[in-house]
Amino acid sequence: MPNTSNNSPAFPSDNVDSHEIDKFSAIASRWWDPDGEFKPLHQINPLRLDYIERQCQGVFGKRLLDVGCGGGLVAEGLAKRGANVTGIDMAKAALQVAKLHALEQQVEVDYQLMAAETFAEQHAAQFDVVTCLEMLEHVPDPSSVIRACAKLLKPGGRLFLSTLNRTPKSWLLGIVAAEYVLRWVPTGTHDHHKFIRPAELLAMTDACQLRANDMTGMHYLPWRGFFFSSRNVDVNYIVSLEKPL
């Protein structure tokens, strides 16, 4: 059964945006509705899981941490593939949904209400894989989260980061189209100023002595759906990194 303990120390308030927490908490009950506000995440989740598993040469038996786990789509999906998964988030409502869903599905995931920085102080170098997907653009200081992720990794461990590029195209597709035209996600989900260019992201990971192994973009075509391709990273992109031995 999933761990239901919520005991945790105070989190670093200077790197938590309470507005962002409230925004996602308000719709947390619909996290596992494949046709609700999180429909795009449901559609891209199999792609993300396959990418992580492929880059890691399998996740079975590995200790994995999902930072900013939300309602548990990634954490539960990787647990079903045999990983020993912990998920952390600062949205209590989302974690409650994640725990309930894991219980219903009889999937083992250890969910904890804790910030990455606090968790890293207690669990340094304990994880084979750390994922932080679609979360960096929702915190005041993404570099702080990346430092925590790097600290949590064992030597030789893998880190996966995904976010949105700050380009005119990402504003058009990620905000105007996704939020206002297609209504894929709630209006106000994203702030274009918080999007992160790949060069900016890699500068943050370089500062943590992480080596980038792969970067690819997320694309969408009406007749094909979502897919990964390295042809460009103009909108959504994911990076696979490794901590040196």
Side-chain angles (χ1 to χ4, degrees), residues 102-174:
L103 185 64
E104 292 171 344
Q105 297 295 310
Q106 298 184 347
V107 177
E108 289 273 355
V109 181
D110 177 15
Y111 287 115
Q112 298 188 35
L113 181 70
M114 195 175 296
E117 294 88 344
T118 304
F119 195 78
E121 290 299 319
Q122 302 175 10
H123 302 279
Q126 291 188 13
F127 292 90
D128 302 296
V129 182
V130 175
T131 61
C132 183
L133 309 180
E134 314 303 326
M135 181 266 206
L136 293 174
E137 67 273 18
H138 297 290
V139 296
D141 183 4
S143 65
S144 177
V145 175
I146 292 172
R147 286 193 298 272
C149 291
K151 185 173 183 177
L152 286 155
L153 278 176
K154 297 177 181 178
R158 295 294 186 100
L159 172 62
F160 295 89
L161 304 172
S162 68
T163 188
L164 291 102
N165 195 350
R166 194 171 67 256
T167 63
K169 185 176 178 180
S170 71
W171 175 79
L172 182 63
L173 297 181

Side-chain angles (χ1 to χ4, degrees), residues 46-106:
L47 293 173
R48 300 190 299 182
L49 298 178
D50 288 346
Y51 179 84
I52 293 166
E53 191 165 33
R54 186 169 61 252
Q55 288 288 319
C56 290
Q57 292 81 51
V59 297
F60 186 86
K62 293 180 178 178
R63 192 171 185 194
L64 188 147
L65 174 69
D66 186 25
V67 176
C69 63
L73 290 181
V74 173
E76 190 172 305
L78 290 168
K80 287 180 177 179
R81 298 185 183 209
N84 179 7
V85 182
T86 299
I88 61 172
D89 203 288
M90 288 310 303
K92 186 175 181 180
L95 283 177
Q96 290 173 336
V97 169
K99 291 173 185 177
L100 178 59
H101 195 269
L103 185 64
E104 292 171 344
Q105 297 295 310
Q106 298 184 347

Side-chain angles (χ1 to χ4, degrees), residues 3-67:
N3 186 327
T4 57
S5 173
N6 270 343
N7 295 327
S8 65
F11 56 87
S13 59
D14 59 340
N15 200 31
V16 175
D17 187 329
S18 60
H19 174 70
E20 294 283 348
I21 297 295
D22 292 344
K23 181 169 62 180
F24 286 101
S25 294
I27 55 176
S29 64
R30 301 187 288 281
W31 204 285
W32 284 92
D33 179 0
D35 294 313
E37 290 91 336
F38 297 102
K39 180 177 180 179
L41 291 183
H42 283 270
Q43 292 177 332
I44 68 174
N45 204 47
L47 293 173
R48 300 190 299 182
L49 298 178
D50 288 346
Y51 179 84
I52 293 166
E53 191 165 33
R54 186 169 61 252
Q55 288 288 319
C56 290
Q57 292 81 51
V59 297
F60 186 86
K62 293 180 178 178
R63 192 171 185 194
L64 188 147
L65 174 69
D66 186 25
V67 176

